[in-house]
């Protein structure tokens, strides 16, 4: 492949979620000129940062489906990818808990299904064994899945993107595709607000917008029904209440896995998600609702009576890109295909749960599809390794002492709740992708994610931005363009420089 | 390991007053550890007046009030560290402190916890809606305006009628913003009466009691909130929902004592105050570790913080000279009408100042201290208000032969 002018690419990936970034990274193993176009100001701001962060084992999906196949493969792959990319990954294991005897049949069914999918080490345990593993959890029996793991979904996406960037992939943030034209030469012309892109291959990994992008290219057979899931985030103090992921027995017709309790790699606990189809015209409606928030707490208490609102520190919502309409519910298998009517466009449709787990196998599949046609040549400079930001808080005392000796910025704790130092925040600000919203800094450093939610450190981080980058009032953005945190300088005061 | 007689964590109102009082009692070896780059704590950003009326019979601004103590600290050459964070503390009173010059360990004979409190956030109270920019806690807004000279909004709705929210209503108004309203979930205001007069009434800012925010709209910046009335159980009356266009939502919905370090030290906390469980000298369940100021209980005015800190210093001095010997151990029983009582237990039967808050406003009330059925002290109030902390002193003779102590509001 041989594109080389500034706006010409061999392959363009639209959408920098976990799937798009996985494809970018995997494709950068080859000599391909690649661009990723993302409408938001950072990678992973759609469903990739709004889920439970679970690396599923693969027993929830119907045998023979792509969902089942990629989920099981993704679970097995994850450990080595996480090591290459320096991403947190904890094999905590999961319990699917039957609240009463009538649900035990469901556990057996899941176990059987999992075994058909190739999931290892599944076991059904009784009430006593539940108590041993999880003294605070109530249930009569449970399916124990030791292979189920957790990661940080946004840090994983960032890691994939940073590694892809290092291997030559071009990232265009704040770049929303407005129009797609297929020229007679076979090339695609993508129009965005400021720029035009030309590419031979077009990969549609736009999650909840995948049907819209396909339609721009003239493919009208996909339909996405956005389905929202709301979550609560619990204080780290709640992490002592449980060790495993705690799930109810899923009711397949609901199209979700049921409201569950998930520990995060950072030590918080998530409750959620709910399952609500929303207006297909408002696919960025990430609002949480009064009704669901109160339901989340009650559902969680059924398994873990010790859960209480005193642990709540935040809430959020994510949106599943479901192919099944509300009237039908349930799941429809992933569609990963090059359409006959538009050659060289690969559409990834309905990549909902277990999308985080399946992302990498999906990427491998997409690359294989291109390789089959193009016989790609290996990129000899490909470097699979990427380093994340070293977390001061997680180091032992001796290491902490040495770090401060090496760099005094490690001695300045900016975020007290999460013990994030100035050094880490500066690294987060200077991230390779150049994303400088407060949320970008937050995801990368964990500052502002603790129990005070930035009450202490937010103004200090703003001060750092002002000192280092001479930020004016209108440079401070919370979540990308136009999300101004301030409305001006104070009228009578010394002008804020 | 560096040895210290007294280490004070936090150089705000409580820490400064405790330090000065300890020095006045003749304690030489004191160290204040402050995480910010200047002493003074939250007072630095409280540029309004009204501080010091009890302590100095004069109305100072926050920075002025703090400076009086900072001057004392400087004059008496009390040691302090700035930009320094305590990242670990043990029940053996070993502290790990990190700052630019390194990571150091201190072994203290006595520790005074004076870390203050933090603001309750949107996430903690679970306000539904989207997550745009323009939602601030009152204290963060105060910091951005008063310390950093930024404006945080133009059309503002304030949820919660805590004092900082009221102060910020006036502050924003004076800076040219429009304050559309203050909403309060409770049937009465949470702030001090004087702040309702000086900050809301004087500026014609409407206050809606029994109201809350049930939705936030906007994807980038706040575009509107939905307000609604609540019934007497605090349940939202959906038929009263009303959308209010605004670009800013300010939250003044409560303060939480910041006891993360206290927990590390193994100190027992009181779920009613959110602070340490203490005796009459502010000594926690870990001997030699004391607490004062907002980390112990959220105070109404800073003068009471100073008074409390000064009293705690007496205990520290006694502890260091091994004069703190329990004579008894009486848990205080909380009777009708009171939200909490401090101290939670008394052991020495010396002169003791009790502080508490009532559950709801009332008129013509008495606070009664009883030893079983014998009334040992009674104090009448024309009106009581949960916003105001009540402090009542019992002398050692009043406490001399008690077996049991109950406080109630009649």
């Amino acid at each position: 492949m041989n594109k080389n002018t500034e706006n010409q690419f061999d392959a363009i990936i639209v959408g920098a979620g976990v799937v798009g970034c996985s494809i970018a990274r995997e494709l950068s193993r080859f000599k391909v000129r690649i661009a990723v176009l993302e409408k938001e100001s950072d990678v992973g701001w759609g469903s990739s940062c709004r889920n439970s962060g679970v690396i599923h084992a693969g027993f929830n999906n119907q045998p023979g489906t792509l969902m089942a196949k990629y989920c099981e493969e993704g679970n097995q792959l994850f450990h080595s990818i996480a090591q290459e990319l320096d991403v947190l990954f904890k094999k905590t294991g999961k319990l699917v808990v039957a609240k009463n005897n009538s649900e035990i049949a469901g556990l057996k069914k899941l176990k059987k299904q999992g075994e058909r999918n190739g999931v290892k080490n599944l076991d059904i345990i009784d009430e006593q064994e539940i108590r041993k593993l999880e003294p605070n959890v109530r249930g009569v029996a449970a399916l124990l899945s030791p292979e189920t793991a957790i990661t940080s979904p946004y840090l994983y996406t960032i890691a994939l993107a940073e590694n892809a960037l290092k291997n030559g992939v071009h990232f265009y943030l704040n770049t929303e595709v407005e129009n797609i034209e297929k020229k007679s030469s076979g090339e695609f012309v993508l129009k965005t607000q400021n720029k035009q892109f030309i590419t031979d291959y077009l990969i549609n990994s736009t999650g909840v917008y995948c049907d819209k992008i396909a339609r721009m290219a003239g493919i009208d057979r996909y339909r996405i029904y956005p389905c929202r899931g709301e979550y609560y985030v619990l204080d780290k103090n709640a992490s002592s209440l449980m060790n495993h992921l705690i799930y109810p027995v899923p009711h397949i017709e609901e199209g979700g896995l049921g409201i569950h309790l998930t520990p995060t790699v950072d030590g918080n606990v998530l409750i959620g998600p709910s399952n609500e189809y929303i207006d297909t015209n408002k696919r960025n409606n990430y609002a949480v609702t009064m009704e669901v928030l109160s339901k989340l707490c009650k559902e969680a208490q059924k398994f873990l009576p010790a859960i209480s609102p005193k642990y709540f520190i935040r809430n959020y919502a994510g949106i599943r890109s479901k192919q099944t309409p509300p009237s039908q519910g349930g799941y429809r298998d992933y569609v990963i295909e090059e359409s006959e009517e538009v050659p060289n466009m690969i559409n990834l449709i309905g990549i909902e749960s277990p999308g985080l787990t399946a992302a990498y196998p999906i990427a491998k599949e997409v690359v294989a599809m291109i390789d089959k046609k193009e016989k790609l040549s290996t990129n000899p400079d490909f470097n699979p390794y990427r380093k994340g930001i070293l977390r001061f808080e997680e180091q032992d005392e001796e290491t902490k002492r040495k770090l401060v000796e090496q760099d005094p910025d490690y001695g300045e704790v900016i975020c007290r709740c999460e013990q994030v130092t100035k050094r880490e925040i500066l690294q987060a600000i200077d991230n390779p992708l150049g994303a400088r919203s407060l949320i970008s800094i937050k995801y990368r450093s964990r500052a502002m994610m603790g129990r005070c939610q930035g009450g202490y450190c937010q103004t200090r981080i703003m001060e750092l931005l002002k000192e280092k980058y001479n930020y004016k009032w209108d440079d401070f953005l919370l979540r990308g363009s136009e999300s101004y945190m301030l409305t001006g300088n104070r009228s009578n005061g010394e002008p804020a420089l | 390991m560096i040895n210290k007689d007294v280490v004070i964590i936090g150089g705000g109102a409580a820490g400064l007053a405790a330090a000065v009082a300890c020095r006045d009692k003749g304690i030489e070896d004191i160290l204040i550890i402050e995480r910010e780059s200047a002493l003074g704590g939250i007072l630095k950003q409280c540029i309004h007046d009204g501080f010091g009326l009890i302590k100095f019979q004069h109305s100072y601004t926050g920075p002025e009030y703090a400076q009086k103590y900072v001057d004392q600290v400087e004059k008496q050459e009390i040691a302090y560290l700035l930009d320094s964070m305590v990242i670990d503390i043990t029940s053996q009173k070993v502290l790990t402190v990190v700052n630019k010059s390194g990571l150091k360990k201190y072994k203290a004979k006595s520790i005074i916890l004076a870390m203050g409190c933090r603001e309750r956030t949107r996430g903690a109270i679970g306000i539904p809606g989207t997550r745009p920019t323009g939602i601030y806690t009152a204290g963060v807004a105060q910091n951005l305006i008063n310390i950093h000279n930024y404006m945080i909004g133009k059309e503002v709705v304030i949820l919660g009628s805590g004092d900082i929210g009221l102060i910020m209503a006036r502050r924003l108004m004076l800076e040219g913003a429009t304050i559309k309203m203050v909403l309060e979930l409770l049937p009465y205001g949470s702030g001090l009466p004087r702040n309702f007069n000086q900050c809301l009434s004087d500026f014609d800012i409407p206050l809606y009691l029994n109201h809350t925010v049930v939705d936030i709209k906007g994807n980038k910046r706040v575009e509107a909130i939905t307000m609604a009335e609540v019934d007497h159980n605090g349940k939202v009356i959906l038929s009263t929902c009303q959308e209010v266009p605004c670009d800013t939502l300010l939250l003044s919905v409560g303060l939480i004592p910041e006891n993360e370090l206290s927990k590390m030290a193994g100190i027992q906390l009181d779920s009613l105050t959110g602070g340490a469980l203490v005796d009459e000298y502010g000594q926690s369940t870990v001997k030699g570790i004391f607490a004062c100021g907002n980390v112990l209980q959220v105070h109404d005015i800073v003068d009471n913080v100073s008074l409390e800190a000064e009293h705690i210093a007496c205990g520290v001095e006694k502890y260091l000279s091994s004069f703190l010997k329990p004579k008894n151990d009486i848990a205080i029983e909380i009777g009708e009408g009171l939200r909490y009582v401090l101290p939670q237990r008394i052991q020495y039967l010396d002169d003791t100042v009790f502080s508490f808050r009532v559950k709801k406003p009332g008129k013509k009330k008495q606070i009664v201290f009883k030893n079983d059925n014998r009334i040992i002290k009674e104090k009448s109030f024309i009106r009581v208000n949960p916003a105001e902390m009540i402090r009542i002193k019992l002398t050692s003779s009043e406490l001399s032969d008690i077996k049991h102590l109950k406080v109630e509001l009649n």
Side-chain angles (χ1 to χ4, degrees), chain A residues 237 286-288 313 397 401 411-412 416 451 456 460 463 466 479 481 484-485 487-488 490-491, chain B residues 35-36 99-100 103 105 123 129 131 133 136 145 148-151 153 171 175 220-221 258 263:
Chain A
N237 289 332
Y286 292 117
V288 292
I313 63 170
E397 200 177 293
R401 194 188 302 275
E412 218 176 307
R416 65 182 166 189
R451 51 180 70 89
Y456 180 71
R460 284 159 181 81
E463 218 171 283
K466 187 176 139 187
R479 203 187 297 274
S481 54
Y484 298 109
M485 301 179 65
T487 55
R490 189 165 71 80
S491 50
Chain B
R35 64 188 178 199
E36 292 196 54
N99 59 29
K100 281 191 169 179
L103 186 138
K105 293 230 171 213
R131 267 161 302 282
T133 179
Y136 288 100
I145 296 173
H148 293 98
N149 282 318
Y150 291 125
M151 266 306 268
R171 186 77 190 95
E175 289 296 339
K220 298 291 186 181
R221 180 92 194 182
E258 185 110 294
K263 283 184 205 159

Side-chain angles (χ1 to χ4, degrees), chain A residues 210-390:
Chain A
C210 63
D211 53 342
K212 293 194 164 182
I213 293 289
R215 204 168 303 133
M216 276 185 203
I219 308 166
D220 195 29
R221 64 172 174 280
Y222 307 123
R223 287 290 175 277
I224 290 299
Y225 303 91
C227 180
R228 188 168 59 196
E230 301 180 25
Y231 288 89
Y232 259 122
V233 185
L234 272 55
D235 192 297
K236 285 183 171 179
N237 289 332
S239 68
S240 58
L241 298 176
M242 51 186 264
N243 310 306
H244 297 74
L245 290 77
I246 309 292
Y247 278 58
V249 179
H251 295 276
I252 197 83
E253 67 284 359
E254 284 172 10
L257 297 177
I259 290 165
H260 47 260
L261 289 151
T262 318
T264 73
V265 277
D266 299 308
N268 298 90
V269 173
L270 305 175
I271 303 177
S274 57
N275 213 40
E276 326 134 47
Y277 279 97
I278 57 168
D279 185 347
T280 52
N281 296 317
K282 288 184 184 159
R283 298 189 188 188
N284 62 348
N285 186 359
Y286 292 117
V288 292
T289 60
M290 206 162 41
E291 309 80 66
V292 173
L293 288 182
S294 60
K295 192 175 103 183
L296 290 180
C297 187
K298 284 185 203 128
E299 288 292 321
Q301 282 168 338
K302 286 183 189 166
F303 298 103
L304 228 164
I307 292 290
S308 97
K310 74 170 183 195
Y311 292 116
F312 296 164
I313 63 170
R314 194 177 174 81
N315 44 59
Y316 67 94
I319 298 177
R320 305 174 181 87
S321 46
K322 295 200 80 73
Q323 296 181 78
T324 45
S327 56
Q328 191 182 340
Y331 292 89
R332 188 176 295 165
D333 200 11
Y334 298 153
V335 175
I336 295 162
E337 65 186 11
E338 182 184 349
S339 66
E340 274 174 30
E341 65 265 49
V342 187
N344 289 3
M345 178 173 190
I346 299 172
N347 286 296
L348 308 174
I349 309 298
I351 314 298
E352 57 162 315
S353 177
L356 180 67
T357 316
Y360 218 83
I362 290 174
K364 282 178 175 285
E365 173 61 27
V366 169
V367 173
M369 285 162 84
I370 299 173
D371 186 36
K372 203 173 160 192
K373 293 175 77 166
E374 299 289 334
K375 303 280 174 283
L376 300 172
S377 48
T378 309
N379 169 10
D381 300 326
F382 177 77
N383 178 355
Y385 298 104
R386 170 262 181 196
K387 264 332 251 180
I389 298 172
L390 182 91

Side-chain angles (χ1 to χ4, degrees), chain B residues 228-247:
Chain B
E229 201 177 330
V230 295
D231 64 19
H232 56 277
N233 295 317
K235 209 171 166 296
V236 172
I237 305 168
L238 287 172
S239 60
T240 62
C241 284
Q242 195 185 331
E243 197 168 299
V244 183
C246 60
D247 67 2

Side-chain angles (χ1 to χ4, degrees), chain B residues 152-254:
Chain B
I152 54 108
K154 291 174 178 160
E155 306 258 299
V156 186
V157 171
I158 300 178
L159 174 63
S161 60
D163 286 311
I164 320 168
L166 302 177
I167 295 289
M168 285 312 293
R170 176 177 64 184
R171 186 77 190 95
L172 281 158
M173 193 81 152
L174 292 172
E175 289 296 339
T178 307
I179 312 301
K180 296 215 153 173
M181 58 185 67
V182 176
L183 304 172
E184 170 58 58
L185 182 74
L186 297 171
Y188 48 85
S190 305
L192 293 168
R194 70 175 190 210
N195 285 332
F196 284 94
N197 295 330
Q198 296 168 9
C199 300
L200 298 191
S201 306
D202 290 358
F203 292 86
D204 295 323
I205 297 170
L207 168 69
Y208 293 87
L209 299 174
N210 298 307
H211 275 76
T212 191
V213 174
V214 295
D215 197 14
I216 296 170
K217 293 195 168 71
N219 284 325
K220 298 291 186 181
R221 180 92 194 182
V222 174
E223 287 162 18
I225 59 106
T226 306
M227 63 184 272
E229 201 177 330
V230 295
D231 64 19
H232 56 277
N233 295 317
K235 209 171 166 296
V236 172
I237 305 168
L238 287 172
S239 60
T240 62
C241 284
Q242 195 185 331
E243 197 168 299
V244 183
C246 60
D247 67 2
T248 306
L249 175 64
L250 218 62
L251 302 175
S252 178
V253 291

